[in-house]
């Protein structure tokens, strides 16, 4: 197989200067904490806290803010 131009340049630089550029490549840094998906219970808890139960703050005892009072 043929050598790529980048590989040729690396080998030429190593022969002439003695500098190996492959050593200077950065290693990939991975995060040290563990990621995990939320459970169904955690998702439901987040959804409840997100809306903060707006319609339960003293409007109607059962928590329904939208009701019609019948006028007789």
């Amino acid at each position: 197989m043929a050598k790529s131009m980048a590989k040729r340049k690396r080998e030429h630089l190593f022969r002439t200067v003695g500098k190996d550029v492959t050593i200077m490549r950065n290693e990939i840094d991975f995060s040290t904490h563990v990621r995990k998906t939320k459970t169904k219970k955690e998702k439901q808890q987040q959804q409840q806290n997100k809306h903060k139960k707006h319609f339960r703050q003293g409007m109607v005892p059962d928590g329904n803010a939208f009701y019609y009072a019948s006028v007789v």
Side-chain angles (χ1 to χ4, degrees):
M1 291 185 79
K3 292 183 185 178
S4 66
M5 284 299 292
K7 188 171 184 178
R8 287 182 189 160
K9 287 180 181 180
R10 285 194 303 267
E11 288 177 350
H12 176 72
L13 191 63
F14 184 68
R15 280 194 314 269
T16 56
V17 182
K19 184 177 182 182
D20 190 11
V21 293
T22 58
I23 297 172
M24 297 187 317
R25 291 181 182 158
N26 292 333
E27 293 183 15
I28 300 171
D29 293 330
F30 293 103
S31 63
T32 57
H33 67 281
V34 178
R35 292 183 174 95
K36 64 172 188 157
T37 57
K38 291 184 178 180
T39 61
K40 182 178 179 180
K41 187 174 181 180
E42 289 172 338
K43 288 178 187 176
Q44 289 173 345
Q45 187 68 32
Q46 181 188 13
Q47 194 70 14
Q48 253 185 345
N49 291 338
K50 179 179 177 181
H51 297 293
K52 297 183 182 177
K53 305 173 190 171
H54 287 297
F55 301 119
R56 294 186 185 179
Q57 296 176 356
M59 298 292 270
V60 179
D62 64 349
N64 188 3
F66 302 105
Y67 74 98
Y68 296 101
S70 61
V71 179
V72 183

